[in-house]
Amino acid sequence: EIYSLHVDCKVTSRFAHTVITSRIVNRANESREATFEVELPKTAFITNFSMSIDGEVYPGIIKEKAAAQNEYDTAVSQGQSAGLVKITDRKLEQFHVSVSIAAASKVTFELTYEELLKRQLGKYELLIKVRPKQLVKHFQIDVHIIEPQGIHFLEADGTFMTNELTEALTKVQNETKAHILFKPTVDQQRKNSELDETLLNGDFVVRYDVKREATAGDIQIVNGYFVHYFAPQEMPVFPKNIVFVIDRSGSMAGRKIEQTMDALLKILQDLRPEDHFNFITFNNKVVEWKSSLLPATEENVASAAALVQTLTARGGTDISGALLAAVAVLDGAQRLPERSVSMVVLLTDGQPTSGETNVEVIQEKVQKAINGKYALFCLGFGFDVSYKFLEKMALRTGGIARRIYENADAALQLQGFYQEVATPVLMQIEMQYPENSIEGLTKNNFKLFFEGSEIIVSGKISNELDLLPVEIKAQSHTSDLTLKEEANVKEKEQVFQNQRYIFGNFMERLWAYLTIQQLLEKAISAQEEDQKALEAQALDLSLRYSFVTPLTSMVVTKPSDQQQKELANKPTEAG
């Protein structure tokens, strides 16, 4: 039985550090398996795990993946076990370990993971999956947030909340800090008085946003590391020129094509009058709805909606032909708004089976045709797509790839994705810092900035600077912008100094987390020799800061009377 389950989360300037501690006692009079199962966000990196059984501690050790695999293979000659981490849904992966404990023994499991919260549609979201599968005597979720910019709004909720459970939730906040505590009693956890079943099954979510005063963003500095957050408010929106490229091959038949139709009908309603758009549908044939881009007038939108409702799915998949046709439509477009953003949105659920089928050739052709002019967004529907291929193609053009999970809310996932890219407000953003005083600068050039998101740049201040000057250059719909700001290093260092509960090197870890994420993303679309160099850098940081990333593994050792070693690897969307 789990007699205590604590989730302790500290969010310091968007960087979330979560520790989950589960204490289990074996009340039977013989040995039993004790299981620890946690679902954590895919965007997080595990940084620590330990088991202590009757006072003896068994820590997880993070090593380079190949070295860990060798050690594991030596320990387990009787075939491979499944590994401790697997993807469970669109946002989560699951860490699962079990250990056999003697009668009346106790075991404590502790897992730590970290992530940088990403602003989407105007808010940060901290997701804690709650699924104890039994009533727990001491259950609590403890979230501390500290945001020097000030907390603009804050909400906490659970998908499993009832009136009784709401009473177990408290929220205290002032200007820059918040504390959320969810501590239901055993009675409050019960489904009903007769059964020992728990109501706690679902998502506990904290959403918030920060105040933004300064136009050139906000700079924070701790122990010589800085982070710069930039999310300008109330900017005019660029008109979009958007070509939707929709797969209607045989495998899309049924539920997928219906959900695609639902989502497209909603997306059409969201187009702005100044936007221009076109549709290309494809199976083994590529069909353009119109020969050129049309303005998103009421009439044109209605006529497109009528077309969407007639979509049927059959035939092969000519991804290459469809994308090249989309690029040609944008290339040939006339009388478009002078300052506007052009993009191609591809939705497909399979591999290329007709026209050009070699994915490398398709990538080359598409990249060459786009030639840096447009962003390509690739949505892969389900698990028969080559996600790697879509991701590489998107990243090479400054776009992004997403997997759409085939379940009830697929249409919402499609709409949600569109909303994120629907309002571009800046393009060609350059974040400039004094070159000779900054080391290890993360990515500082961005192709597009969408309203509701946030640009984050981090680095290390190398010499004794008193003032850190920054300059941001970007194009908005109405003008070219130059924003300047100077941060007083000593003053900024003071901000976090007197904070009791934050962990001291969080800013350095934030920098390392962001750097690793960006190196891995860059490696996806790089040429082979560059890829090796980028991965070597990411591996070095993963080991130095002990993160379980796709390049490292955690070796978990168990007591000597059991299968001795297990591996925790980081799964990726591309598999």
Side-chain angles (χ1 to χ4, degrees):
E1 100 177 73
I2 302 173
Y3 62 92
S4 161
L5 184 58
H6 279 202
V7 179
D8 182 38
C9 183
K10 294 181 171 50
V11 183
T12 316
S13 185
R14 308 10 164 211
F15 193 63
H17 173 92
T18 304
V19 183
I20 298 181
T21 311
S22 173
R23 300 177 201 278
I24 295 178
V25 60
N26 178 6
R27 298 214 191 274
N29 47 13
E30 58 191 12
S31 295
R32 288 281 167 90
E33 284 278 288
T35 298
F36 176 66
E37 202 173 80
V38 169
E39 289 184 82
L40 60 142
K42 286 179 184 173
T43 41
F45 291 148
I46 290 171
T47 65
N48 209 342
F49 170 71
S50 70
M51 291 185 284
S52 65
I53 302 169
D54 294 334
E56 178 89 24
V57 178
Y58 299 87
I61 309 288
I62 295 175
K63 303 192 166 183
E64 188 214 344
K65 210 172 200 169
Q69 191 65 48
N70 286 343
E71 185 176 326
Y72 175 75
D73 291 342
T74 321
V76 188
S77 43
Q78 69 272 33
Q80 175 93 331
S81 91
L84 302 175
V85 189
K86 60 176 197 291
I87 287 181
T88 49
D89 80 1
R90 185 162 66 91
K91 290 184 177 176
L92 298 165
E93 59 195 34
Q94 183 194 71
F95 178 89
H96 174 110
V97 69
S98 49
V99 62
S100 171
I101 57 169
S105 281
K106 289 180 176 177
V107 55
T108 299
F109 294 105
E110 187 176 280
L111 179 76
T112 307
Y113 59 84
E114 292 177 343
E115 65 174 321
L116 184 56
L117 301 180
K118 193 173 166 203
R119 188 168 184 253
Q120 277 177 320
L121 303 175
K123 50 184 174 284
Y124 306 99
E125 181 177 286
L126 178 71
L127 171 62
I128 297 168
K129 190 77 180 175
V130 179
R131 212 192 324 234
K133 297 180 182 165
Q134 54 175 271
L135 300 173
V136 177
K137 189 173 176 186
H138 303 285
F139 178 96
Q140 76 173 45
I141 295 177
D142 214 359
V143 179
H144 284 273
I145 297 173
I146 172 164
E147 288 290 352
Q149 283 171 265
I151 294 168
H152 171 54
F153 81 89
L154 171 76
E155 56 189 39
D157 199 11
T159 51
F160 45 77
M161 281 300 188
T162 59
N163 290 343
E164 276 78 54
L165 283 173
T166 308
E167 289 167 20
L169 178 65
T170 53
K171 199 171 83 171
V172 182
Q173 74 180 88
N174 63 19
E175 186 67 18
T176 57
K177 287 185 208 165
H179 178 211
I180 289 158
L181 179 64
F182 179 56
K183 197 173 177 178
T185 61
V186 170
D187 282 342
Q188 286 171 320
Q189 294 170 42
R190 264 183 225 280
K191 262 193 182 161
N192 59 37
S193 50
E194 288 84 68
L195 295 173
D196 276 352
E197 280 183 29
T198 177
L199 286 162
L200 304 184
N201 182 0
D203 300 341
F204 185 80
V205 185
V206 177
R207 295 187 188 87
Y208 74 94
D209 197 16
V210 300
K211 294 178 177 164
R212 292 182 173 78
E213 326 267 91
T215 46
D218 189 75
I219 293 171
Q220 298 174 20
I221 303 173
V222 177
N223 297 343
Y225 284 82
F226 80 90
V227 64
H228 184 185
Y229 294 110
F230 180 55
Q233 313 279 74
E234 292 160 20
M235 304 288 283
V237 177
F238 278 108
K240 295 186 296 299
N241 315 309
I242 187 165
V243 182
F244 296 99
V245 182
I246 306 297
D247 184 341
R248 55 182 171 88
S249 60
S251 55
M252 285 285 290
R255 192 92 175 89
K256 286 189 207 165
I257 200 87
E258 282 167 25
Q259 289 173 317
T260 302
M261 282 154 66
D262 283 352
L264 287 173
L265 292 172
K266 299 256 179 8
I267 288 170
L268 283 167
Q269 294 308 313
D270 286 344
L271 288 171
R272 296 163 179 265
E274 60 276 18
D275 292 341
H276 286 70
F277 75 111
N278 198 352
F279 271 96
I280 290 177
T281 61
F282 70 97
N283 45 22
N284 38 337
K285 290 199 188 70
V286 174
V287 178
E288 292 179 24
W289 172 52
K290 300 288 181 197
S291 54
S292 63
L293 286 170
L294 293 187
T297 60
E298 241 172 88
E299 205 176 324
N300 288 338
V301 165
S303 137
L307 160 92
V308 165
Q309 282 160 322
T310 64
L311 282 179
T312 53
R314 55 176 170 274
T317 313
D318 182 1
I319 292 177
S320 180
L323 285 176
L324 294 174
V327 173
V329 165
L330 288 171
D331 281 347
Q334 317 214 315
R335 293 195 300 282
L336 292 179
E338 189 175 316
R339 280 181 181 243
S340 56
V341 170
S342 298
M343 53 176 86
V344 175
V345 176
L346 167 70
L347 173 70
T348 177
D349 76 332
Q351 315 276 0
T353 59
S354 37
E356 178 57 68
T357 56
N358 178 322
V359 291
E360 260 111 41
V361 175
I362 299 176
Q363 280 161 356
E364 291 304 316
K365 279 184 166 175
V366 168
Q367 194 181 349
K368 204 166 158 189
I370 287 181
N371 194 13
K373 298 176 294 212
Y374 319 126
L376 168 63
F377 297 98
C378 294
L379 302 175
F381 208 141
F383 281 86
D384 299 328
V385 287
S386 166
Y387 189 78
K388 239 183 185 141
F389 152 66
L390 295 179
E391 188 171 37
K392 205 169 190 172
M393 208 159 46
L395 289 173
R396 280 188 171 174
T397 66
I400 41 186
R402 276 281 165 84
R403 193 190 296 280
I404 301 297
Y405 277 67
E406 281 179 68
N407 51 21
D409 73 345
L412 286 174
Q413 293 173 51
L414 288 166
Q415 273 165 261
F417 172 81
Y418 173 76
Q419 281 167 342
E420 280 176 52
V421 299
T423 46
V425 294
L426 290 177
M427 53 202 262
Q428 313 305 349
I429 305 111
E430 285 177 46
M431 315 278 283
Q432 297 169 345
Y433 308 87
E435 266 172 39
N436 50 0
S437 319
I438 301 293
E439 285 169 34
L441 189 65
T442 60
K443 178 178 160 140
N444 65 332
N445 283 325
F446 302 86
K447 195 164 176 163
L448 292 169
F449 171 76
F450 299 100
E451 191 178 292
S453 67
E454 179 167 60
I455 284 174
I456 305 177
V457 181
S458 182
K460 198 156 122 190
I461 301 170
S462 50
N463 53 20
E464 296 295 301
L465 271 191
D466 296 327
L467 292 173
L468 173 62
V470 300
E471 181 170 296
I472 302 172
K473 291 191 150 95
Q475 296 171 15
S476 82
H477 178 38
T478 47
S479 62
D480 289 353
L481 301 177
T482 302
L483 305 169
K484 290 183 180 176
E485 181 75 65
E486 268 186 342
N488 181 318
V489 176
K490 282 202 174 50
E491 268 175 34
K492 291 284 182 189
E493 286 266 14
Q494 253 12 108
V495 173
F496 286 104
Q497 230 117 61
N498 51 4
Q499 301 304 340
R500 233 187 14 214
Y501 59 78
I502 64 166
F503 47 113
N505 64 345
F506 86 92
M507 186 72 78
E508 186 177 339
R509 295 190 67 82
L510 181 159
W511 166 82
Y513 171 97
L514 188 60
T515 305
I516 293 167
Q517 291 280 30
Q518 291 180 355
L519 288 167
L520 292 171
E521 185 170 288
K522 224 169 157 179
I524 291 168
S525 58
Q527 304 301 338
E528 202 169 326
E529 55 277 14
D530 298 339
Q531 197 169 7
K532 290 206 164 49
L534 292 163
E535 286 181 350
Q537 262 178 288
L539 171 63
D540 178 51
L541 285 171
S542 302
L543 291 170
R544 191 170 354 144
Y545 291 96
S546 84
F547 284 125
V548 179
T549 68
L551 305 171
T552 52
S553 289
M554 181 188 280
V555 182
V556 174
T557 306
K558 295 183 177 182
S560 53
D561 57 346
Q562 302 176 45
Q563 180 193 333
Q564 273 243 275
K565 291 190 187 330
E566 291 197 89
L567 286 191
N569 291 328
K570 172 88 181 156
T572 63
E573 202 59 81

